[in-house]
Amino acid sequence: RAPLTVVEAATVLSFFAIIMGGPLLLLGASVTALAWGTWRHVASMAVATLVLALHPMPDPRKLCTSRFTICLYKYFTYRWLWVDDCREKNEADMDVGWIGAGAPHGVFPIANVLCMPSINAFTRKRFIGASASVVLRAPFLRYVLLLGGATDVSSSSLVRATRKKMCVGIVPDGIAGIFQQDVGSGNSGQHEERVAMRSRKGLARLSLKKGIPIMP
């Protein structure tokens, strides 16, 4: 386990305080302006919300090898498993775009998010995430996309990205997967990790229809 300094831990905690607490703070300020403020206050909050939701984002690849991203790896003890033929396979697959399905997961898929900067840093394959379109425009929360970039999770967007030879990481069971992690226990009495895929066949249909490889 890599040593983590107090400054590094504070940096990571500050980042998550902004992306998770920012929307709540903005919502509270908006409600306050509507309930007790003047029309000028309401207009100011509306403009601030639009700016935060629509302003252009910098190139996410710039953070792939930054000290901040290293802090994230250390804070969450994120690790890679490297095998000898990775480089050869990467060279052979440069002309193929695929979808990476990451499950199981919690409320905030930390490991899935950290896959983006790590893959972009160590391979020549462009790897982005896919999320609900509302996340792409949610003030403050959208800053998590600075770690790799993203497209929305619609089938047309996934096809468009893979045709550009990009790889797209998604959470295949969506919100339903969040509530599967505490269901039941294994035969040995240990906790089971489950994936809610029985009624979610859209990804498989997309792969069969468009010929897009899926990598679990």
Side-chain angles (χ1 to χ4, degrees):
R1 183 172 181 175
L4 183 73
T5 67
V6 174
V7 173
E8 291 172 334
T11 301
V12 173
L13 292 174
S14 298
F15 174 71
F16 280 95
I18 291 171
I19 65 172
M20 305 300 289
L24 298 177
L25 182 62
L26 186 63
L27 177 62
S30 299
V31 171
T32 301
L34 286 170
W36 296 286
T38 64
W39 284 112
R40 179 177 294 180
H41 294 142
V42 173
S44 298
M45 289 306 306
V47 170
T49 301
L50 287 174
V51 170
L52 290 168
L54 301 176
H55 72 81
M57 302 275 276
D59 186 350
R61 286 173 289 188
K62 293 181 179 179
L63 278 180
C64 290
T65 56
S66 68
R67 293 188 63 182
F68 170 68
T69 306
I70 300 300
C71 291
L72 289 172
Y73 297 153
K74 293 166 67 175
Y75 186 88
F76 292 106
T77 60
Y78 181 76
R79 298 170 182 172
W80 259 57
L81 176 63
W82 186 271
V83 294
D84 291 341
D85 59 349
C86 275
R87 186 176 300 278
E88 288 76 10
K89 287 184 177 180
N90 184 50
E91 295 295 334
D93 293 341
M94 284 304 297
D95 292 331
V96 179
W98 44 263
I99 295 175
H105 61 94
V107 176
F108 195 96
I110 297 293
N112 297 25
V113 171
L114 294 182
C115 278
M116 295 189 292
S118 59
I119 291 177
N120 287 323
F122 291 101
T123 72
R124 295 195 297 114
K125 196 73 174 178
R126 182 76 171 95
F127 187 83
I128 62 174
S131 66
S133 55
V134 65
V135 176
L136 301 178
R137 296 300 180 189
F140 297 106
L141 184 58
R142 65 195 292 248
Y143 294 151
V144 74
L145 306 179
L146 288 171
L147 296 175
T151 183
D152 72 84
V153 78
S154 66
S155 59
S156 59
S157 296
L158 294 177
V159 170
R160 194 159 48 244
T162 52
R163 283 179 177 173
K164 293 179 181 178
K165 303 177 183 179
M166 293 183 181
C167 299
V168 186
I170 69 169
V171 175
D173 53 358
I175 295 176
I178 297 173
F179 303 99
Q180 298 299 311
Q181 304 315 304
D182 292 325
V183 178
S185 60
N187 295 330
S188 61
Q190 296 180 350
H191 174 72
E192 278 188 345
E193 292 186 330
R194 298 185 178 184
V195 182
M197 292 294 291
R198 180 174 296 177
S199 61
R200 294 172 176 264
K201 301 179 176 66
L203 183 58
R205 284 197 297 267
L206 177 65
S207 175
L208 293 171
K209 185 177 179 180
K210 300 295 184 179
I212 303 172
I214 300 176
M215 180 177 294

